[in-house]
Amino acid sequence: VAVGLIGMGSSVFHPESSRVARLASGGQHGLAQSVFQVGGNFGTALGPLLAAFIVLPYGQGSIAWFSVVALISMIMLAGIGSWYGKTRKVDNSAAHPSEREAIHELTHGKVRKSVAILMALTFSKDFYLVSITSFYTFYLIHTFGLSVQNAQLYLFLFLFAVAAGTVIGGPIGDRIGTRRVIWWSILGVLPFTLALPYVDLFWTAILSVIIGLILASAHPAIIVYAQSLIPGRVGMVAGLFFGLAFGVAGIGAAFLGWLADATSITFVYHVCAFLPAIGLLAAFLPEMAKPRRAAARRKR
């Protein structure tokens, strides 16, 4: 029940928070999306450290103390919600003319095809990420004989790289275009995922950091690109792609767990290594005109 309530809260939180981030972006949509997402990613990165140094020594009951952080967040969100309500009366998130101008040459069919491609890329990215976040410690223990505590430290390195990649992806997308970030981040990680199952412990750590850094940069770019495809539907687009990401992660964890039991954890990483090849679909995403930054800024 507790986990279900956490999931419901998260599902409500992410679309609206994405809208708040865009409202506060001043036209730098990628940067705002990255800043929003990196909070969650950095918190996730701290999870293995907390598990290694608090939960393992002091028991599962120590998890209850972390609810204090959630309480502080609730108090902060109350203030943000008040600002959000006042801001929406002035700006109801309708599409700015410059945003519609950026996609005026795209037909409805091209928009639907592009959204479908972005969903496929989200599937490949999050399915591979869940193979690391859920099974990386088991892989390290099974392959290299690490202790649980040491394996958690390696997982922290990967998750910290994911947080760093999230920060990097948004601002780079603002500068060079989100389509290029999507293309290079998902397909560009393929050589490293293919090499990961064949290297020793040192290079496993190095490659996992590179993979997390490159792959995570795609998510802010995907969200911002999709919001540009469907202007004026910021919350709906965020809900679609965050929901897909979370759903794929949940289903992927269950499927990969079953596959690991039926075969081996090493086999799972051999199979998942090819998932970033789906990034080839990014070649079919249309290049859109970049909205004028001055025109894109909303009144506060």
Side-chain angles (χ1 to χ4, degrees):
V1 172
V3 171
L5 290 174
I6 291 171
M8 289 173 61
S10 180
S11 66
V12 173
F13 170 79
H14 279 84
E16 289 304 304
S17 296
S18 184
R19 193 200 306 271
V20 171
R22 195 174 179 92
L23 282 174
S25 68
Q28 294 180 288
H29 300 147
L31 174 61
Q33 188 67 36
S34 286
V35 170
F36 158 55
Q37 289 184 220
V38 77
N41 287 341
F42 184 68
T44 301
L46 290 179
L49 292 183
L50 297 174
F53 296 108
I54 296 180
V55 178
L56 286 176
Y58 299 105
Q60 188 171 333
S62 61
I63 295 174
W65 290 103
F66 301 137
S67 61
V68 175
V69 179
L71 179 61
I72 295 172
S73 300
M74 291 165 63
I75 296 171
M76 295 175 64
L77 283 174
I80 295 173
S82 176
W83 172 84
Y84 178 35
K86 294 175 183 177
T87 305
R88 287 204 66 187
K89 294 179 181 179
V90 178
D91 185 339
N92 63 359
S93 295
H96 194 278
S98 67
E99 294 177 316
R100 294 196 181 279
E101 179 184 344
I103 63 164
H104 75 282
E105 294 182 354
L106 299 183
T107 64
H108 290 296
K110 287 184 178 180
V111 170
R112 286 193 292 267
K113 183 179 75 172
S114 298
V115 171
I117 291 173
L118 292 175
M119 293 176 71
L121 298 179
T122 300
F123 165 81
S124 69
K125 176 183 72 70
D126 284 276
F127 209 93
Y128 185 83
L129 283 176
V130 78
S131 75
I132 302 287
T133 56
S134 296
F135 302 102
Y136 190 43
T137 55
F138 299 112
Y139 175 76
L140 294 173
I141 293 169
H142 171 76
T143 307
F144 303 110
L146 295 186
S147 67
V148 174
Q149 193 171 53
N150 286 335
Q152 292 287 344
L153 296 178
Y154 280 87
L155 179 59
F156 164 75
L157 289 177
F158 168 76
L159 294 175
F160 187 83
V162 169
T166 302
V167 175
I168 294 170
I172 291 179
D174 287 335
R175 185 173 295 273
I176 69 172
T178 52
R179 180 179 179 272
R180 291 182 177 87
V181 174
I182 294 169
W183 170 263
W184 289 109
S185 63
I186 296 183
L187 184 61
V189 82
L190 182 60
F192 304 105
T193 61
L194 290 175
L196 183 65
Y198 300 99
V199 295
D200 59 19
L201 179 60
F202 173 79
W203 283 106
T204 294
I206 297 297
L207 290 180
S208 68
V209 168
I210 295 173
I211 289 168
L213 192 68
I214 297 176
L215 202 55
S217 65
H219 202 183
I222 288 174
I223 297 289
V224 172
Y225 186 94
Q227 288 171 342
S228 300
L229 284 173
I230 313 176
R233 296 291 185 268
V234 175
M236 183 198 75
V237 170
L240 173 64
F241 283 92
F242 277 116
L244 177 64
F246 296 158
V248 165
I251 295 171
F255 172 76
L256 293 177
W258 169 84
L259 184 62
D261 287 340
T263 56
S264 70
I265 193 70
T266 305
F267 179 77
V268 166
Y269 280 95
H270 279 87
V271 172
C272 290
F274 292 91
L275 284 171
I278 298 176
L280 287 168
L281 292 174
F284 298 99
L285 292 173
E287 187 75 65
M288 295 185 295
K290 189 175 182 179
R292 294 182 299 273
R293 178 171 293 182
R297 290 180 178 173
R298 314 285 181 87
K299 293 182 178 180
R300 297 179 181 177

